[in-house]
Amino acid sequence: MEILGIDIGGTGIKGALVDTETGQLTTERYRLRTPQPSKPKKVVKTVAKIVKHFDWQGPVGCGFPSVVKGGVIRTAANISNKWLGVNGEEALEDATGCDVVVINDADAAAIAEMRFGAGRDQDGVVLLVTLGTGIGTAVFVNGNLLPNTELGHIEIKGKDAEKRAAEIVRKKKGLSWKKWGKRLKKYLRTMESLIWPDLIIIGGGVSKKHNKFFRYLKTEAPVVPAQMRNEAGIIGAALAAAERLEAD
Ligand code: BGC
């Protein structure tokens, strides 16, 4: 099935058509900047532009950087808080005329990674950590997702973990790989003491530079980089939409 996958992030909104059987993009990626402030009306308009760019009328899967329950946006750590309580699926369906499924962005990326990437055929407890503007997490148990985990917000040294160890913090504060790597190690070790994963997969753009910081992580469970890289969010959103459509 072909589905338009869209990944809404703090800085960019990206979309591409996805073949949900193979997990491959069937078009180039199209990216627009996330409007600032990222209020619902403007973000919805931007998504509608992406849909129009592909001249698309079929189903759309959309990853959103928030807890999403029944289509409703429930948290807003890195997006305008005007989104709180808004039904993202309805808003996007009204603007595009397409069937839209909205899920958490880290869950979306993890779904793709588990199906086609580093998590393929992995049983047990898998923790996926997406490093970007925030820290997104996804937890799988024997291939099944526990949706909407927000473990990037656990408190470490009295601070929201993502404010210490997200990729954007490394960049903004000019932290060395070692310094940032040690913060990440502390984060992952804390996660291990809480949920005892069998495998940890690190995603987000920075995962392709894993040679620079993996040596500082020293966790009990093996840590591997995501294989799908930046496209995971788009692909996973499309996979989630396909699954929902098949179930309905
Ligand atoms: C949000 C999560 C999101 C993550 C990555 C966090 O700040 O709370 O819902 O998955 O950022 O975008």
Side-chain angles (χ1 to χ4, degrees), residues 22-246:
T22 62
Q24 300 290 318
L25 303 191
T26 57
T27 62
E28 293 270 296
R29 257 181 4 157
Y30 181 64
R31 181 183 190 275
L32 295 172
R33 276 174 180 274
T34 307
Q36 299 298 342
S38 47
K39 291 185 189 165
K41 249 194 193 155
K42 288 200 166 161
V43 171
V44 166
K45 243 189 179 172
T46 307
V47 173
K49 273 191 201 157
I50 293 179
V51 174
K52 198 156 178 221
H53 168 85
F54 291 103
D55 200 11
W56 185 245
Q57 281 149 17
V60 176
C62 187
F64 205 91
S66 301
V67 168
V68 185
K69 284 186 84 84
V72 178
I73 309 306
R74 301 296 301 272
T75 62
N78 291 306
I79 192 113
S80 161
N81 59 18
K82 293 273 187 297
W83 274 101
L84 292 172
V86 172
N87 189 316
E89 287 180 359
E90 279 174 16
L92 291 173
E93 284 182 349
D94 288 349
T96 62
C98 299
D99 274 341
V100 182
V101 170
V102 179
I103 68 164
N104 171 262
D105 60 347
D107 285 353
I111 287 170
E113 203 57 44
M114 292 299 290
R115 179 90 56 90
F116 297 110
R120 248 166 101 174
D121 303 324
Q122 284 290 335
D123 279 337
V125 177
V126 183
L127 169 67
L128 298 101
V129 178
T130 309
L131 302 166
T133 314
I135 296 183
T137 58
V139 177
F140 277 77
V141 183
N142 295 330
N144 295 308
L145 172 67
L146 169 65
N148 288 313
T149 55
E150 286 287 319
L151 302 170
H153 296 297
I154 58 166
E155 203 175 291
I156 292 190
K157 294 197 170 171
K159 257 191 147 183
D160 187 343
E162 77 172 19
K163 298 278 184 281
R164 299 183 78 241
E167 157 66 353
I168 205 169
V169 179
R170 182 187 70 80
K171 279 199 180 144
K172 280 202 171 153
K173 298 214 164 143
L175 300 180
S176 65
W177 287 106
K178 186 171 179 186
K179 181 137 201 214
W180 180 70
K182 285 191 164 171
R183 287 186 179 193
L184 200 55
K185 169 184 158 193
K186 174 91 182 143
Y187 172 69
L188 294 176
R189 298 285 295 193
T190 307
M191 288 307 309
E192 285 201 297
S193 70
L194 296 171
I195 62 165
W196 291 84
D198 299 299
L199 174 68
I200 301 173
I201 302 177
I202 304 287
V206 73
S207 64
K208 58 175 176 276
K209 298 187 189 145
H210 56 93
N211 285 337
K212 300 211 184 278
F213 65 95
F214 268 32
R215 77 185 86 129
Y216 303 117
L217 301 183
K218 301 198 177 80
T219 51
E220 187 168 311
V223 183
V224 297
Q227 291 169 0
M228 315 272 299
R229 305 282 149 77
N230 260 340
E231 274 136 30
I234 293 175
I235 296 166
L239 294 177
E243 205 168 283
R244 175 96 65 87
L245 289 172
E246 272 157 26

